[in-house]
Amino acid sequence: MSYKSILVGYDGSDPSKKALKKAIELSKIMNSSLYIVGVVRPFQFAAVDFILPEEIEAFEKEEISKEERFLKEALEIATRSGVKAETKVLEGEPAEELMSYADANGCDLIVVGHRGAGGFKRLILGTTAGNLVKYANQSVLVVK
């Protein structure tokens, strides 16, 4: 099977670096387009009524700025490997945003790293990788 367009979720973590490496390898082998996407979760705080809107906005801007730095790093890695790639920062729930981006951009493979969340956290929250495997319209590669 050949993939024409590969999306990799990237957040600068070690698992996402492994996913990026695998996505670059596949992109080179299959001469695929590569999209490197980072997702920033919206500000979530139980006592949001006690936080000024300016503080929330400042927090979200900082998170976006951090993700842009991670994506710049990822783009440099891809470029050094001889792969042309595009980057994009999205805001929202990671699995949903990655699936929507993949659908909108004709990606036929989504590559993500596996964090290894366990126990109660996984039971309550699920995982980005798990949700992608369950619900994505594309093939999903989870890199351990």
Side-chain angles (χ1 to χ4, degrees):
M1 175 171 242
S2 181
Y3 298 104
K4 295 178 184 170
S5 185
I6 300 172
L7 168 80
V8 60
Y10 191 80
D11 65 5
S13 66
D14 286 339
S16 73
K17 288 178 181 179
K18 290 177 184 176
L20 176 65
K21 181 179 177 185
K22 181 59 73 177
I24 290 170
E25 289 173 15
L26 292 171
S27 181
K28 287 171 79 171
I29 291 168
M30 298 180 187
N31 197 29
S32 305
S33 301
L34 181 62
Y35 298 91
I36 307 168
V37 177
V39 182
V40 175
R41 292 181 187 266
F43 184 80
Q44 296 175 347
F45 188 73
V48 75
D49 294 335
F50 301 106
I51 298 175
L52 296 172
E54 302 83 38
E55 291 174 321
I56 294 172
E57 187 176 325
F59 174 81
E60 290 176 342
K61 282 183 180 179
E62 176 58 32
E63 289 300 304
I64 291 169
S65 177
K66 193 177 351 176
E67 189 62 42
E68 287 171 343
R69 288 192 302 271
F70 292 147
L71 293 181
K72 182 179 178 188
E73 166 191 83
L75 185 59
E76 290 171 0
I77 292 168
T79 301
R80 281 196 308 267
S81 299
V83 173
K84 291 182 181 178
E86 293 180 28
T87 62
K88 181 76 174 173
V89 176
L90 304 172
E91 293 182 65
E93 195 284 315
E96 290 176 16
E97 294 300 323
L98 292 173
M99 287 185 285
S100 292
Y101 189 89
D103 289 341
N105 290 280
C107 298
D108 46 9
L109 177 66
I110 301 173
V111 182
V112 292
H114 182 266
R115 288 204 190 277
F120 186 71
K121 182 178 180 183
R122 181 176 56 211
L123 177 68
I124 298 299
L125 299 176
T127 66
T128 297
N131 287 332
L132 288 169
V133 168
K134 285 181 206 172
Y135 303 115
N137 295 321
Q138 299 77 13
S139 296
V140 178
L141 174 60
V142 180
V143 181
K144 286 197 167 210

